[in-house]
Amino acid sequence: MFNYFIMSAIKTVSGVKPDNEFFDVNLKWKFSERLFAYGSFDIALSNTEKDSVSSSSRNLSEAGYSFNCFFYRNRLNTRGMFFGTTLKMFDTVPFYGFQVGSFELTKSDFQSSYFTLSYLYGFYKVDSTANARRESLSLPLEFRSNFYFEFSLYSNNAVVPLINSLRIKVGLLVPISGKSKGRKPNIDDIKTRIAIEVPLKGIHWF
């Protein structure tokens, strides 16, 4: 059993906070000894505006999908290093790019935990002054080239009681190039999200 599915209740504790949060769905699918895909999708949807009949218009707040290849595993087969391509949505804005990272494997006490470092490029530039719809959101995208760091920690082993029933997920988006309105990115343009998740019945292997 090398594929798994996790559904977790989610609550953002810092950074980008969607208006409504429900569940985070994570899925890993193995194609071969080296190739695998990984996806993470917030079922939580963000209110962005209301139409003429007062029904909420919503956008997917955060999601990601990547296709990856392991290039190294340790001797105990508890951890693997990988690289791959990725699609990412952060605070409703879509990106594409490539990534490197580390995944905890089935023999690890932290199985399904991971970290990734990605280069992400926005599909399009969002100018909050020219797009009234984006003015209602917290984080307009002004710089299309970014580094993105994501970290997830989970353990279902009692030797780690603090996170035995929780998942911790951290995302950090750092603009690295380009100019917006004649200025370069600075520390105020960094966007973060820290979330606590409670997996429902742990990891489902298949």
Side-chain angles (χ1 to χ4, degrees), residues 2-3 28-38 66-74 77 79-85 101 103 105:
F2 298 101
N3 308 317
K28 179 175 178 284
W29 188 274
K30 179 180 177 181
F31 297 104
S32 69
E33 286 299 316
R34 291 183 176 272
L35 300 178
F36 71 97
Y38 179 78
S66 62
F67 183 77
N68 307 286
C69 177
F70 283 117
F71 63 86
Y72 170 79
R73 286 188 179 91
N74 62 6
N77 202 32
R79 183 175 300 113
M81 303 292 293
F82 65 88
F83 64 89
T85 59
F103 222 106
L105 304 176

Side-chain angles (χ1 to χ4, degrees), residues 17-18 21 23 28 45-46 52 64 70 76 86 89 91 95 102-104 121 128 148 150-151 155 178 191:
K17 294 183 179 181
E21 293 184 294
F23 298 104
K28 179 175 178 284
L45 300 176
S46 300
S52 58
F70 283 117
L76 298 177
T86 183
M89 182 172 287
D91 192 31
F95 301 88
S102 173
F103 222 106
E104 297 296 302
Y121 191 77
S128 61
Y148 179 72
E150 186 167 295
F151 171 78
S155 173
K191 305 166 180 60

Side-chain angles (χ1 to χ4, degrees), residues 36-53:
F36 71 97
Y38 179 78
S40 178
F41 310 92
D42 271 19
I43 295 180
L45 300 176
S46 300
N47 290 328
T48 59
E49 59 184 354
K50 291 186 177 181
D51 60 24
S52 58
V53 295

Side-chain angles (χ1 to χ4, degrees), residues 90-109:
F90 191 82
D91 192 31
T92 75
V93 179
F95 301 88
Y96 64 92
F98 57 89
Q99 65 181 9
V100 294
S102 173
F103 222 106
E104 297 296 302
L105 304 176
T106 55
K107 295 183 180 180
S108 171
D109 290 336

